[in-house]
């Protein structure tokens, strides 16, 4: 059941990012920005959903105990960013007329991935602290009885 919950979260994340990117693009460039999106709208949506899923589902790698945390993080990162790059180039999300701009936009996406990853990391760490505190309280109350 958790797999389907995560799958749905990935789909939702992809759609949400798609909407916000296009709202920002429309705000900056107007109808010109949306022309490319509208010309192949189904592919754009499927690309966004694919990237959303590719960012969420690889998180299962963190359940693999034989890998170090660094290996797990690298695996998650390369699956997510690799999928993004493949989709981004195939749907022309990244410009190909300027190598510098393409690299800059790729670095920007890596930064966004890293920030989201850090947010989830710190959230997980706070959840671990809460669980440890509950265990300590439960253990203390059991020992006092």
């Amino acid at each position: 059941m958790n797999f389907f919950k995560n799958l749905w979260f990935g789909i939702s994340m992809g759609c949400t990012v798609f909407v916000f990117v296009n709202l920002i693009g429309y705000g900056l460039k107007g109808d010109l920005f949306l022309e490319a999106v509208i010309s192949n709208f189904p592919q754009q949506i499927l690309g966004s959903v694919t990237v959303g899923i590719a960012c969420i589902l690889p998180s299962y790698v963190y359940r693999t105990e034989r890998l170090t945390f660094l290996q797990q993080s690298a695996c998650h990162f390369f699956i997510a960013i690799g999928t993004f790059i493949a989709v981004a180039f195939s749907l022309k999300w990244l410009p190909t007329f300027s190598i510098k701009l393409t690299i800059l936009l790729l670095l920007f996406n890596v930064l966004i991935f890293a920030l989201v990853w850090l947010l989830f990391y710190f959230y997980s760490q706070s959840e671990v602290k809460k669980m440890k505190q509950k265990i300590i309280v439960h253990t203390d109350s059991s020992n006092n009885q």
Side-chain angles (χ1 to χ4, degrees):
M1 183 65 176
N2 201 22
F3 172 82
F4 291 108
K5 184 179 176 183
N6 287 337
L7 180 64
W8 181 250
F9 182 66
I11 291 168
S12 301
M13 186 179 87
C15 290
T16 301
V17 170
F18 177 79
V19 168
F20 280 111
V21 165
N22 284 288
L23 280 173
I24 293 167
Y26 179 75
L28 295 173
K29 295 286 185 180
D31 289 338
L32 180 64
F33 186 85
L34 297 180
E35 283 179 18
V37 174
I38 292 169
S39 69
N40 62 351
F41 187 74
Q43 292 90 345
Q44 297 290 330
I45 291 291
L46 287 174
S48 296
V49 166
T50 301
V51 171
I53 291 170
C55 288
I56 298 300
L57 286 187
S59 64
Y60 280 99
V61 74
Y62 296 104
R63 296 180 182 179
T64 306
E65 294 180 17
R66 60 185 164 83
L67 298 175
T68 67
F69 183 67
L70 181 61
Q71 290 169 325
Q72 293 166 337
S73 298
C75 183
H76 186 193
F77 172 79
F78 286 114
I79 290 170
I81 206 71
T83 303
F84 170 78
I85 290 170
V87 170
F89 279 115
S90 70
L91 293 176
K92 297 179 179 39
W93 292 350
L94 295 172
T96 54
F97 61 86
S98 168
I99 299 273
K100 287 181 184 177
L101 183 58
T102 302
I103 291 171
L104 182 66
L105 288 171
L106 283 172
L107 290 175
F108 179 71
N109 282 285
V110 168
L111 178 66
I112 289 172
F113 179 88
L115 290 174
V116 170
W117 183 88
L118 279 172
L119 290 172
F120 277 106
Y121 176 78
F122 289 129
Y123 171 76
S124 297
Q125 291 303 309
S126 73
E127 291 298 305
V128 166
K129 285 180 184 178
K130 288 177 189 175
M131 285 189 267
K132 284 182 179 179
Q133 188 61 36
K134 284 182 182 179
I135 290 170
I136 290 169
V137 168
H138 179 72
T139 303
D140 288 346
S141 66
S142 296
N143 288 339
N144 289 334
Q145 293 179 0

